Amino acid sequence: MKAIVEGVRIKGFRAVVPKERHSYLEDHSLFTEEEARKLQATIGVAERRLLPRPYMASDMCVAAAEGLLRQLDWDPASVDLLIFVSQDADYVLPVTAAVIQRRLGLPTTAAAFDVPLGCSGFAYGTWMAARLLGGSTARRALVLAGDNSARWLRPDDRATLPLFGDAGSATALEVDPEAPPIHAILGTDGSGAKHIFVKAGGKRDCLIPNEEPWSAEEHQRLYRDARLHLNGAEVFTFTLRSVPPLLRDAMEHAGVTLDDIDMIVPHQANRMMLDHIRKKIGADPARFLIDMEKFGNTSSASVPLAICHRLGDFFADGPKKLLMAGFGVGWSWGALVAEIGPIVAPTLAEMPDGFPPLEV
């Protein structure tokens, strides 16, 4: 699917990460030092940020949103749309966005809803917000994208534990008749659903015991099925097959070439995969952002996190054209080509001390 959104501008990015750091280069409980260094060279992750309980992805996103509203000097009452993009909802119901609306002090006239997408979620959420702003009376929107993926992992899973970290983000959009168009490409292939998969927790395989108390066998099954299953070989194959064409198609759709793009910001999935993608499309390393070393794969937050961590001063000398892309769980993918600026400096912050968890 292709789309063009007119008259909407991205006004700001802010990302928030937990204070707690973990590195297998220092902790040799699961890997030897030699194994950890080989892993770092392959996946590009030296350390991750881990969110402690009782906090959730929503808490990081709320902290990011509060900071971004201050940066923009926006009255919360002026925000007409809130989209919470996450695979880590606080509750089965209500939608987490409704709880966030109240916490942020947005008006009751605001539309607020959840989008349960992961790796492609930032692209989808930003496109949805831009489209809704362009086709309604709304003037301002917040897209909050974040996940606490590390909580899905088994403590003995050597394939996933070194890769995933936690982060939240906020992106602000505003109606502006003078804004250049935003070009989007989105797609889905459900044949890959089983390759990045948490089976238990939904209504089809509900975490409710069939008998009281739970049997030992049921405990074991639910423990296994409630953790992330990731087929690395299939993910790698999908990525190299689908992402280079996605990036090329996005540029063609926007009528630009690599020379016109100031920075490509892909989902931070795995450094080796991203290097392969960059080479396949012939992108200059200086214009292809790989930023996993300090945070790992942060799912829906990875694109805005990379922008906030590495591009804080990037827009200081004028607008820049970015190609931002997400891809993975689903299979699902999305790419945006947007000219960004003038804009407040993208900012990365840690979760503040004493931050109250989001509650109904």
Side-chain angles (χ1 to χ4, degrees):
M1 183 188 115
K2 297 180 180 178
I4 302 174
V5 181
E6 305 274 359
V8 176
R9 191 181 295 277
I10 295 174
K11 296 294 291 183
F13 301 95
R14 189 176 179 93
V16 165
V17 295
K19 289 187 175 181
E20 182 178 334
R21 304 167 185 256
H22 181 269
S23 172
Y24 284 107
L25 294 171
E26 301 169 2
D27 172 10
H28 299 147
S29 60
L30 197 62
F31 301 95
T32 66
E33 183 175 354
E34 182 180 359
E35 288 174 328
R37 294 198 178 281
K38 287 180 179 178
L39 269 173
Q40 181 193 6
T42 302
I43 64 176
V45 180
E47 66 180 41
R48 305 164 299 137
R49 300 297 185 98
L50 302 179
L51 188 67
R53 295 181 185 276
Y55 294 106
M56 294 286 292
S58 60
D59 297 301
M60 296 184 289
C61 288
V62 166
E66 289 177 345
L68 184 55
L69 288 171
R70 288 193 298 269
Q71 280 184 277
L72 291 167
D73 196 25
W74 280 10
D75 184 342
S78 71
V79 177
D80 306 295
L81 172 64
L82 171 70
I83 301 176
F84 177 60
V85 182
S86 181
Q87 297 173 133
D88 297 311
D90 285 32
Y91 311 103
V92 173
L93 54 90
V95 293
T96 306
V99 188
I100 294 174
Q101 174 270 337
R102 177 173 172 267
R103 170 70 172 270
L104 292 178
L106 307 190
T108 56
T109 52
F113 58 92
D114 291 2
V115 175
L117 284 168
C119 314
S120 64
F122 170 77
Y124 268 84
T126 303
W127 161 72
M128 293 173 73
R131 175 60 77 187
L132 289 170
L133 287 179
S136 70
T137 59
R139 304 290 298 175
R140 288 175 171 172
L142 288 174
V143 178
L144 309 186
D147 286 287
N148 48 292
S149 303
R151 213 168 283 172
W152 291 108
L153 310 179
R154 296 198 319 270
D156 60 345
D157 188 347
R158 289 163 56 94
T160 58
L161 275 174
L163 182 59
F164 288 96
D166 302 330
S169 70
T171 301
L173 298 93
E174 185 174 39
V175 169
D176 181 351
E178 303 301 318
I182 298 173
H183 293 80
I185 288 189
L186 307 155
T188 311
D189 177 4
S191 68
K194 62 185 177 182
H195 297 307
I196 308 178
F197 191 28
V198 177
K199 183 180 180 182
K203 289 294 182 71
R204 186 168 296 278
D205 197 354
C206 194
L207 289 172
I208 296 176
N210 294 321
E211 57 184 72
E212 287 289 349
W214 280 347
S215 67
E217 181 181 349
E218 192 171 31
H219 262 296
Q220 187 176 30
R221 181 186 68 81
L222 292 178
Y223 174 81
R224 180 187 67 246
D225 290 350
R227 297 297 185 268
L228 178 69
H229 164 76
L230 185 145
N231 186 330
E234 289 291 341
V235 173
F236 195 87
T237 299
F238 155 74
T239 301
L240 295 191
R241 179 182 68 242
S242 301
V243 178
L246 169 67
L247 301 180
R248 295 190 196 103
D249 290 348
M251 288 186 282
E252 181 180 357
H253 177 47
V256 298
T257 68
L258 279 171
D259 291 337
D260 302 311
I261 299 294
D262 295 297
M263 188 65 69
I264 298 172
V265 187
H267 165 53
Q268 302 296 304
N270 174 305
R271 184 167 68 188
M272 182 170 65
M273 287 198 299
L274 294 179
D275 277 332
H276 279 283
I277 292 168
R278 180 188 61 76
K279 292 172 183 176
K280 275 182 171 287
I281 66 170
D284 182 344
R287 294 187 179 188
F288 191 95
L289 183 55
I290 300 178
D291 185 46
M292 300 189 62
E293 185 177 10
K294 298 294 185 182
F295 309 108
N297 180 335
T298 56
S299 192
S300 64
S302 75
V303 170
L305 174 59
I307 291 171
C308 291
H309 185 227
R310 292 283 296 279
L311 302 183
D313 300 324
F314 189 65
F315 306 95
D317 59 352
K320 298 291 192 300
K321 194 173 290 291
L322 266 60
L323 169 52
M324 301 168 285
F327 44 87
V329 59
W331 305 125
S332 176
W333 58 88
L336 305 172
V337 178
E339 183 176 299
I340 299 177
I343 186 174
V344 296
T347 303
L348 172 62
E350 292 184 333
M351 279 284 286
D353 291 330
F355 192 80
L358 197 68
E359 293 183 354
V360 172

